[in-house]
Coordinates of all heavy atoms in Angstrom, one line a residue:
E1 N 0.8 -1.2 0.0 CA 0.0 0.0 0.0 C 0.9 1.2 0.0 O 1.9 1.3 0.7 CB -0.9 0.0 1.3 CG -1.9 1.0 1.2 CD -2.9 0.9 2.4 OE1 -3.0 -0.2 3.0 OE2 -3.6 1.9 2.7
F2 N 0.5 2.2 -0.8 CA 1.3 3.5 -0.9 C 0.8 4.4 0.2 O -0.1 5.0 0.1 CB 1.1 4.1 -2.3 CG 1.9 5.4 -2.5 CD1 3.3 5.3 -2.6 CD2 1.3 6.5 -2.5 CE1 4.1 6.4 -2.8 CE2 2.0 7.7 -2.8 CZ 3.4 7.6 -2.9
I3 N 1.8 4.5 1.2 CA 1.4 5.5 2.3 C 2.8 6.3 2.6 O 3.6 5.9 3.4 CB 1.1 4.7 3.6 CG1 -0.1 3.9 3.3 CG2 0.6 5.8 4.7 CD1 -0.5 3.0 4.5
P4 N 3.0 7.3 1.9 CA 4.4 8.0 2.0 C 4.5 8.6 3.4 O 5.6 8.9 3.8 CB 4.3 9.1 0.9 CG 2.9 9.2 0.6 CD 2.2 7.9 0.8
E5 N 3.4 8.9 4.1 CA 3.5 9.4 5.5 C 4.3 8.6 6.4 O 4.9 9.0 7.4 CB 2.2 9.7 6.1 CG 1.3 10.7 5.3 CD 0.7 10.1 4.1 OE1 0.4 8.9 4.0 OE2 0.4 10.9 3.2
R6 N 4.4 7.3 6.1 CA 5.1 6.3 7.0 C 6.6 6.7 7.2 O 7.2 6.4 8.1 CB 5.0 4.9 6.6 CG 5.9 4.6 5.4 CD 5.7 3.1 5.0 NE 5.0 3.1 3.7 CZ 4.2 2.1 3.3 NH1 4.1 1.0 4.1 NH2 3.6 2.2 2.2
W7 N 7.2 7.4 6.1 CA 8.6 7.8 6.2 C 8.8 9.2 6.8 O 9.9 9.6 7.1 CB 9.1 7.8 4.8 CG 9.0 6.4 4.1 CD1 8.2 6.2 3.0 CD2 9.6 5.2 4.5 NE1 8.4 4.9 2.7 CE2 9.3 4.3 3.6 CE3 10.6 4.8 5.5 CZ2 9.6 3.0 3.6 CZ3 11.0 3.5 5.5 CH2 10.5 2.6 4.7
G8 N 7.7 9.8 7.2 CA 7.8 11.2 7.8 C 7.1 11.3 9.1 O 7.6 11.0 10.2
D9 N 5.8 11.7 9.0 CA 5.0 12.0 10.1 C 4.5 10.8 10.9 O 4.1 10.9 12.1 CB 3.7 12.8 9.7 CG 4.1 14.1 9.0 OD1 5.3 14.5 9.3 OD2 3.3 14.7 8.4
K10 N 4.4 9.6 10.3 CA 3.8 8.4 11.0 C 4.8 7.2 10.9 O 4.5 6.2 10.3 CB 2.5 8.1 10.4 CG 1.4 9.2 10.5 CD 0.1 8.8 9.8 CE -0.8 10.0 10.0 NZ -2.0 9.8 9.3
P11 N 5.9 7.2 11.6 CA 6.9 6.1 11.5 C 6.3 4.8 12.1 O 6.8 3.8 11.8 CB 8.1 6.6 12.3 CG 7.6 7.7 13.2 CD 6.4 8.3 12.5
E12 N 5.2 4.9 12.9 CA 4.6 3.7 13.5 C 4.0 2.8 12.4 O 3.7 1.7 12.6 CB 3.6 4.1 14.5 CG 2.4 4.8 14.1 CD 2.5 6.3 13.9 OE1 3.6 6.9 14.2 OE2 1.5 7.0 13.5
L13 N 3.8 3.4 11.2 CA 3.2 2.6 10.1 C 4.2 1.8 9.4 O 3.9 0.9 8.6 CB 2.5 3.5 9.1 CG 1.3 4.4 9.6 CD1 0.8 5.3 8.6 CD2 0.2 3.4 10.0
I14 N 5.5 1.9 9.6 CA 6.5 1.1 9.0 C 6.5 -0.3 9.5 O 6.6 -0.5 10.7 CB 7.9 1.8 9.2 CG1 8.0 3.2 8.7 CG2 9.0 0.8 8.6 CD1 9.3 3.9 9.1
Q15 N 6.2 -1.2 8.6 CA 6.1 -2.6 9.0 C 7.5 -3.3 9.1 O 7.6 -4.2 9.9 CB 5.2 -3.3 8.0 CG 3.8 -2.8 8.1 CD 2.9 -3.5 7.1 OE1 3.3 -4.4 6.3 NE2 1.7 -3.1 7.0
N16 N 8.4 -2.9 8.2 CA 9.7 -3.5 8.2 C 10.8 -2.4 8.0 O 10.9 -1.9 6.9 CB 9.8 -4.6 7.1 CG 11.1 -5.3 7.0 OD1 12.1 -5.0 7.8 ND2 11.3 -6.2 6.1
K17 N 11.4 -2.1 9.1 CA 12.4 -0.9 9.0 C 13.5 -1.3 8.1 O 14.3 -0.4 7.7 CB 12.8 -0.6 10.5 CG 11.6 0.0 11.3 CD 12.1 0.5 12.6 CE 11.0 0.9 13.5 NZ 10.2 2.0 13.2
A18 N 13.8 -2.5 7.9 CA 15.0 -2.9 7.1 C 14.7 -2.7 5.6 O 15.6 -2.9 4.8 CB 15.3 -4.3 7.4
A19 N 13.5 -2.4 5.3 CA 13.1 -2.3 3.9 C 13.7 -1.1 3.2 O 13.8 -1.0 2.0 CB 11.5 -2.2 3.8
F20 N 14.1 -0.1 4.0 CA 14.7 1.2 3.4 C 16.2 0.9 3.1 O 17.0 0.8 4.0 CB 14.5 2.3 4.3 CG 15.2 3.6 3.8 CD1 14.7 4.2 2.7 CD2 16.3 4.1 4.4 CE1 15.2 5.4 2.2 CE2 16.8 5.3 3.9 CZ 16.3 5.9 2.8
A21 N 16.5 0.8 1.8 CA 17.9 0.7 1.4 C 18.1 1.6 0.3 O 17.8 1.2 -0.9 CB 18.1 -0.9 1.1
P22 N 18.6 2.8 0.4 CA 18.7 3.7 -0.7 C 19.6 3.2 -1.8 O 19.2 3.6 -3.0 CB 19.2 5.0 0.0 CG 19.9 4.5 1.2 CD 19.2 3.3 1.7
F23 N 20.6 2.5 -1.6 CA 21.4 2.0 -2.7 C 21.1 0.6 -3.1 O 21.6 0.1 -4.0 CB 22.9 2.0 -2.3 CG 23.5 3.4 -2.3 CD1 24.0 4.0 -1.2 CD2 23.6 4.1 -3.5 CE1 24.6 5.3 -1.3 CE2 24.1 5.4 -3.6 CZ 24.7 5.9 -2.5
G24 N 20.2 -0.1 -2.3 CA 19.8 -1.4 -2.7 C 20.9 -2.4 -2.2 O 21.8 -2.0 -1.5
G25 N 20.8 -3.6 -2.6 CA 21.8 -4.6 -2.2 C 21.9 -5.7 -3.1 O 21.1 -5.9 -4.0
G26 N 23.0 -6.5 -2.9 CA 23.2 -7.6 -3.8 C 23.4 -7.3 -5.3 O 24.0 -6.3 -5.6
V27 N 23.0 -8.2 -6.1 CA 23.2 -8.0 -7.5 C 22.5 -6.8 -8.2 O 22.7 -6.3 -9.2 CB 23.0 -9.2 -8.4 CG1 23.9 -10.4 -8.0 CG2 21.6 -9.7 -8.2
Y28 N 21.4 -6.4 -7.4 CA 20.5 -5.3 -7.9 C 20.8 -4.0 -7.2 O 20.0 -3.1 -7.2 CB 19.0 -5.7 -7.7 CG 18.7 -6.9 -8.4 CD1 18.5 -8.2 -7.7 CD2 18.5 -7.0 -9.8 CE1 18.1 -9.3 -8.4 CE2 18.2 -8.1 -10.5 CZ 18.0 -9.3 -9.8 OH 17.6 -10.4 -10.4
S29 N 22.0 -3.9 -6.7 CA 22.3 -2.6 -6.0 C 22.5 -1.5 -7.0 O 22.7 -1.8 -8.2 CB 23.5 -2.8 -5.1 OG 24.7 -3.0 -5.9
C30 N 22.5 -0.3 -6.5 CA 22.7 0.9 -7.4 C 24.0 0.9 -8.2 O 25.1 0.7 -7.5 CB 22.6 2.2 -6.5 SG 22.9 3.7 -7.4
V31 N 24.0 1.1 -9.5 CA 25.2 1.1 -10.3 C 26.1 2.3 -9.9 O 27.3 2.2 -10.2 CB 25.0 1.0 -11.8 CG1 24.3 -0.3 -12.1 CG2 24.2 2.2 -12.2
G32 N 25.6 3.3 -9.4 CA 26.3 4.5 -9.1 C 26.9 4.6 -7.6 O 27.5 5.6 -7.3
K33 N 26.6 3.6 -6.8 CA 27.0 3.6 -5.4 C 28.5 3.8 -5.3 O 29.0 4.6 -4.5 CB 26.6 2.3 -4.7 CG 27.0 2.2 -3.3 CD 26.6 0.8 -2.7 CE 27.0 0.8 -1.2 NZ 26.7 -0.5 -0.7
Q34 N 29.3 2.9 -5.9 CA 30.8 3.1 -5.8 C 31.3 4.4 -6.3 O 32.2 5.0 -5.7 CB 31.5 1.9 -6.5 CG 31.2 0.5 -6.0 CD 31.4 0.5 -4.5 OE1 32.5 0.9 -4.0 NE2 30.6 -0.1 -3.7
L35 N 30.8 4.9 -7.4 CA 31.2 6.3 -7.9 C 30.8 7.3 -6.8 O 31.6 8.2 -6.5 CB 30.5 6.6 -9.2 CG 30.7 8.0 -9.8 CD1 32.2 8.2 -10.0 CD2 30.0 8.2 -11.0
A36 N 29.6 7.2 -6.2 CA 29.2 8.2 -5.2 C 30.1 8.2 -4.0 O 30.5 9.2 -3.5 CB 27.7 8.0 -4.8
L37 N 30.4 7.0 -3.6 CA 31.3 6.8 -2.3 C 32.8 7.3 -2.7 O 33.3 8.0 -1.9 CB 31.4 5.4 -2.0 CG 30.1 4.8 -1.3 CD1 30.2 3.3 -1.1 CD2 29.7 5.6 -0.1
M38 N 33.2 7.1 -3.9 CA 34.5 7.6 -4.3 C 34.5 9.2 -4.4 O 35.5 9.7 -3.9 CB 34.9 7.0 -5.7 CG 36.3 7.4 -6.2 SD 36.7 6.6 -7.8 CE 35.5 7.4 -8.8
E39 N 33.5 9.7 -4.8 CA 33.4 11.1 -4.9 C 33.3 11.7 -3.5 O 34.0 12.8 -3.2 CB 32.1 11.6 -5.7 CG 32.3 11.5 -7.1 CD 33.3 12.5 -7.7 OE1 33.4 13.6 -7.3 OE2 34.1 12.1 -8.6
L40 N 32.7 11.1 -2.6 CA 32.6 11.5 -1.2 C 33.9 11.5 -0.5 O 34.4 12.5 0.1 CB 31.6 10.7 -0.4 CG 30.1 11.0 -0.5 CD1 29.3 9.9 0.1 CD2 29.9 12.4 0.1
R41 N 34.6 10.4 -0.8 CA 36.0 10.3 -0.2 C 36.9 11.4 -0.7 O 37.7 12.0 0.0 CB 36.6 9.0 -0.5 CG 35.9 7.8 0.4 CD 36.7 6.5 0.0 NE 35.9 5.4 0.5 CZ 35.2 4.6 -0.3 NH1 35.2 4.8 -1.6 NH2 34.4 3.6 0.1
S42 N 36.8 11.7 -2.0 CA 37.7 12.7 -2.7 C 37.4 14.1 -2.2 O 38.3 14.8 -1.8 CB 37.4 12.6 -4.2 OG 38.2 13.6 -4.8
V43 N 36.1 14.4 -2.1 CA 35.7 15.8 -1.6 C 36.1 16.0 -0.2 O 36.6 17.0 0.2 CB 34.2 16.0 -1.9 CG1 33.7 17.3 -1.2 CG2 33.9 16.1 -3.4
I44 N 35.7 15.0 0.7 CA 36.0 15.1 2.1 C 37.6 15.2 2.4 O 37.9 16.0 3.1 CB 35.4 14.0 2.9 CG1 33.9 14.1 2.9 CG2 35.9 14.0 4.4 CD1 33.2 12.9 3.4
S45 N 38.3 14.4 1.7 CA 39.8 14.5 1.9 C 40.4 15.9 1.4 O 41.2 16.4 2.1 CB 40.5 13.4 1.1 OG 40.3 13.4 -0.2
R46 N 39.9 16.4 0.3 CA 40.3 17.8 -0.1 C 39.9 18.8 0.9 O 40.7 19.7 1.2 CB 39.8 18.1 -1.4 CG 40.5 17.2 -2.5 CD 40.2 17.7 -3.9 NE 40.9 18.9 -4.1 CZ 40.7 19.7 -5.2 NH1 39.9 19.3 -6.1 NH2 41.4 20.8 -5.3
V47 N 38.7 18.8 1.4 CA 38.3 19.7 2.4 C 39.1 19.8 3.6 O 39.6 20.8 4.1 CB 36.8 19.6 2.7 CG1 36.4 20.4 3.9 CG2 35.9 20.0 1.5
V48 N 39.4 18.6 4.2 CA 40.1 18.5 5.4 C 41.6 18.8 5.3 O 42.2 19.2 6.2 CB 39.9 17.2 6.2 CG1 38.5 16.9 6.6 CG2 40.4 16.0 5.4
T49 N 42.2 18.6 4.1 CA 43.6 18.9 3.9 C 43.8 20.4 3.5 O 44.9 20.9 3.7 CB 44.2 17.9 2.9 OG1 43.5 18.1 1.7 CG2 44.2 16.5 3.4
Q50 N 42.8 21.0 2.9 CA 43.0 22.4 2.3 C 42.4 23.5 3.2 O 42.6 24.6 2.9 CB 42.5 22.4 0.9 CG 43.3 21.5 -0.1 CD 42.8 21.7 -1.5 OE1 42.0 22.5 -1.8 NE2 43.4 20.9 -2.4
F51 N 41.5 23.1 4.1 CA 40.9 24.1 5.0 C 40.9 23.8 6.4 O 40.9 22.6 6.8 CB 39.4 24.2 4.5 CG 39.1 24.8 3.1 CD1 39.1 23.9 2.0 CD2 39.0 26.1 2.8 CE1 38.9 24.3 0.7 CE2 38.9 26.6 1.5 CZ 38.8 25.6 0.5
D52 N 40.9 24.9 7.2 CA 40.6 24.7 8.6 C 39.2 25.0 8.8 O 38.6 26.0 8.3 CB 41.5 25.8 9.4 CG 42.9 25.4 9.4 OD1 43.3 24.2 9.6 OD2 43.8 26.3 9.4
V53 N 38.5 24.1 9.5 CA 37.0 24.3 9.6 C 36.7 24.5 11.1 O 37.2 23.8 12.0 CB 36.3 22.9 9.2 CG1 34.8 23.1 9.2 CG2 36.8 22.6 7.8
H54 N 35.9 25.6 11.4 CA 35.5 25.9 12.7 C 34.0 26.2 12.7 O 33.4 26.6 11.7 CB 36.2 27.2 13.2 CG 37.8 27.1 13.1 ND1 38.5 26.4 14.0 CD2 38.6 27.5 12.1 CE1 39.8 26.5 13.7 NE2 39.9 27.1 12.6
F55 N 33.5 26.1 13.9 CA 32.1 26.6 14.1 C 31.9 28.0 13.9 O 32.9 28.8 14.3 CB 31.5 26.2 15.5 CG 31.3 24.7 15.7 CD1 31.8 24.1 16.7 CD2 30.4 24.0 14.8 CE1 31.6 22.7 16.9 CE2 30.2 22.7 15.0 CZ 30.8 22.0 16.1
A56 N 30.9 28.5 13.3 CA 30.6 30.0 13.2 C 30.3 30.5 14.6 O 29.9 29.8 15.5 CB 29.5 30.2 12.2
P57 N 30.4 31.8 14.8 CA 30.0 32.4 16.1 C 28.5 32.0 16.4 O 27.7 32.1 15.6 CB 30.1 33.9 15.8 CG 31.1 34.0 14.7 CD 30.9 32.8 13.8
G58 N 28.4 31.6 17.7 CA 27.0 31.2 18.2 C 26.6 29.8 17.8 O 25.6 29.3 18.2
E59 N 27.5 29.1 17.1 CA 27.2 27.6 16.7 C 28.0 26.7 17.6 O 29.1 26.9 17.9 CB 27.6 27.5 15.2 CG 27.3 26.1 14.7 CD 25.9 25.7 14.5 OE1 25.2 26.3 13.6 OE2 25.4 24.9 15.4
D60 N 27.3 25.7 18.1 CA 28.0 24.6 18.8 C 27.8 23.2 18.3 O 28.3 22.2 18.8 CB 27.6 24.7 20.3 CG 26.2 24.4 20.5 OD1 25.5 24.1 19.6 OD2 25.8 24.4 21.8
G61 N 27.1 23.1 17.2 CA 26.8 21.8 16.6 C 25.7 21.0 17.2 O 25.3 20.0 16.7
S62 N 25.1 21.5 18.3 CA 24.0 20.7 19.0 C 22.7 20.6 18.2 O 22.1 19.5 18.2 CB 23.7 21.3 20.4 OG 23.2 22.6 20.3
A63 N 22.4 21.6 17.4 CA 21.2 21.6 16.6 C 21.3 20.4 15.5 O 20.3 19.8 15.3 CB 20.9 22.9 15.9
L64 N 22.4 20.2 15.0 CA 22.6 19.2 14.0 C 22.3 17.8 14.7 O 21.7 16.9 14.0 CB 24.0 19.2 13.4 CG 24.3 18.2 12.4 CD1 23.6 18.4 11.1 CD2 25.8 18.1 12.0
L65 N 22.8 17.6 15.9 CA 22.6 16.3 16.5 C 21.2 16.2 17.1 O 20.6 15.1 17.0 CB 23.5 16.3 17.8 CG 25.0 16.2 17.3 CD1 25.9 16.2 18.6 CD2 25.3 15.0 16.5
T66 N 20.5 17.2 17.5 CA 19.2 17.1 18.1 C 18.0 17.3 17.2 O 16.9 16.9 17.4 CB 19.0 18.1 19.3 OG1 19.2 19.4 18.9 CG2 20.0 17.7 20.4
K67 N 18.3 18.1 16.1 CA 17.1 18.5 15.2 C 17.1 17.8 13.8 O 16.2 18.1 13.0 CB 17.1 20.0 15.0 CG 16.7 20.8 16.3 CD 16.7 22.3 16.1 CE 16.4 22.9 17.4 NZ 16.4 24.4 17.3
T68 N 18.2 17.1 13.5 CA 18.2 16.3 12.2 C 17.1 15.2 12.3 O 17.0 14.5 13.4 CB 19.6 15.7 12.0 OG1 20.5 16.8 11.8 CG2 19.6 14.8 10.9
R69 N 16.4 15.1 11.2 CA 15.3 14.1 11.2 C 15.6 13.0 10.2 O 16.1 13.3 9.0 CB 14.0 14.7 10.8 CG 13.5 15.7 11.9 CD 12.1 16.3 11.6 NE 11.9 16.4 10.1 CZ 10.7 16.2 9.6 NH1 9.6 15.9 10.3 NH2 10.5 16.4 8.3
D70 N 15.5 11.7 10.6 CA 15.8 10.7 9.7 C 14.4 10.2 9.2 O 13.7 9.4 9.8 CB 16.4 9.5 10.5 CG 16.9 8.3 9.5 OD1 16.8 8.6 8.3 OD2 17.3 7.4 10.0
V71 N 14.1 10.7 8.0 CA 12.8 10.4 7.4 C 13.1 9.7 6.1 O 14.2 9.0 5.9 CB 11.9 11.6 7.1 CG1 11.4 12.1 8.4 CG2 12.7 12.7 6.5
F72 N 12.3 9.7 5.1 CA 12.6 9.0 3.8 C 14.0 9.3 3.3 O 14.7 8.5 2.9 CB 11.5 9.2 2.8 CG 11.7 8.4 1.5 CD1 11.6 7.0 1.5 CD2 12.0 9.0 0.3 CE1 11.7 6.3 0.4 CE2 12.2 8.3 -0.8 CZ 12.0 7.0 -0.8
T73 N 14.2 10.7 3.3 CA 15.6 11.2 3.0 C 16.0 11.9 4.3 O 15.2 12.5 5.0 CB 15.7 12.0 1.8 OG1 14.8 13.1 2.0 CG2 15.3 11.3 0.5
L74 N 17.2 12.1 4.5 CA 17.7 12.7 5.7 C 17.4 14.2 5.6 O 17.8 14.8 4.7 CB 19.2 12.4 5.9 CG 19.8 12.7 7.3 CD1 19.2 11.9 8.3 CD2 21.4 12.5 7.3
D75 N 16.8 14.7 6.7 CA 16.5 16.1 6.7 C 17.4 16.8 7.8 O 17.2 16.7 8.9 CB 15.0 16.3 7.2 CG 14.6 17.8 7.2 OD1 15.2 18.6 6.6 OD2 13.7 18.1 8.0
L76 N 18.5 17.4 7.3 CA 19.6 17.9 8.1 C 19.2 19.3 8.7 O 18.7 20.1 8.0 CB 20.9 18.0 7.4 CG 21.6 16.7 7.0 CD1 22.8 17.0 6.1 CD2 22.1 16.0 8.3
A77 N 19.5 19.5 10.0 CA 19.3 20.7 10.6 C 20.5 21.6 10.2 O 21.6 21.1 9.7 CB 19.4 20.6 12.2
P78 N 20.5 22.9 10.3 CA 21.5 23.7 9.8 C 22.8 23.6 10.6 O 22.7 23.4 11.8 CB 21.0 25.2 9.9 CG 19.6 25.1 10.6 CD 19.3 23.7 10.7
L79 N 23.9 23.7 10.0 CA 25.2 23.7 10.7 C 26.1 24.8 10.0 O 26.5 24.7 8.9 CB 25.9 22.4 10.6 CG 27.3 22.3 11.3 CD1 27.2 22.4 12.7 CD2 27.9 20.9 10.9
N80 N 26.3 25.9 10.8 CA 27.1 27.0 10.2 C 28.5 26.8 10.6 O 28.9 26.7 11.7 CB 26.5 28.3 10.8 CG 25.1 28.6 10.4 OD1 24.8 28.4 9.3 ND2 24.3 28.9 11.4
L81 N 29.4 26.7 9.5 CA 30.8 26.5 9.7 C 31.6 27.7 8.9 O 31.1 28.3 8.0 CB 31.2 25.2 9.0 CG 30.5 24.0 9.6 CD1 30.9 22.8 8.8 CD2 30.9 23.8 11.1
I82 N 32.8 27.9 9.4 CA 33.7 28.8 8.7 C 34.8 27.9 8.1 O 35.5 27.2 8.9 CB 34.1 29.8 9.7 CG1 33.0 30.7 10.2 CG2 35.2 30.7 9.1 CD1 33.4 31.6 11.3
F83 N 35.1 28.2 6.8 CA 36.2 27.5 6.2 C 37.3 28.5 5.9 O 37.0 29.5 5.2 CB 35.8 26.9 4.8 CG 34.8 25.7 5.1 CD1 33.4 25.9 5.2 CD2 35.3 24.4 5.0 CE1 32.6 24.9 5.4 CE2 34.4 23.3 5.1 CZ 33.1 23.5 5.4
T84 N 38.5 28.3 6.4 CA 39.6 29.2 6.2 C 40.7 28.3 5.4 O 41.1 27.3 5.9 CB 40.2 29.6 7.5 OG1 39.1 30.2 8.4 CG2 41.3 30.7 7.4
E85 N 41.0 28.9 4.3 CA 42.0 28.2 3.4 C 43.3 28.2 4.2 O 43.8 29.2 4.6 CB 42.1 28.8 2.1 CG 42.9 28.0 1.1 CD 42.8 28.6 -0.3 OE1 42.2 29.6 -0.5 OE2 43.4 27.9 -1.2
R86 N 43.9 27.0 4.1 CA 45.3 26.8 4.7 C 46.3 27.4 3.8 O 46.3 27.2 2.5 CB 45.6 25.4 5.0 CG 44.7 24.8 6.1 CD 45.1 23.4 6.3 NE 44.2 22.8 7.4 CZ 44.2 21.6 7.8 NH1 45.1 20.8 7.3 NH2 43.4 21.2 8.7
K87 N 47.3 28.0 4.4 CA 48.4 28.5 3.6 C 49.5 27.4 3.4 O 49.7 26.7 4.3 CB 49.1 29.7 4.2 CG 48.1 30.8 4.6 CD 47.6 31.6 3.3 CE 46.8 32.8 3.7 NZ 45.7 33.0 2.8
P88 N 50.0 27.3 2.2 CA 51.0 26.2 2.0 C 52.3 26.4 2.7 O 52.6 27.4 3.2 CB 51.3 26.3 0.4 CG 50.5 27.4 -0.1 CD 49.7 28.0 1.0

């Protein structure tokens, strides 16, 4: 039955929580999964090696931990950061 609310406002309607697999699994998994993971590794490694990252004034990161919602897709709370380029 098509009830999209089960992934948002009514999680009690989810009959099998293991059914959500965004990339799929086994032989039928997403063909772009490995490319997406490779891109994530590349971007994250460049950011942490080329920039100093700090919380913006008034930010402590707690909203990201307490207000992020795990629904059909992840609904992230705001996180304000300051990126300062590192000098070689």
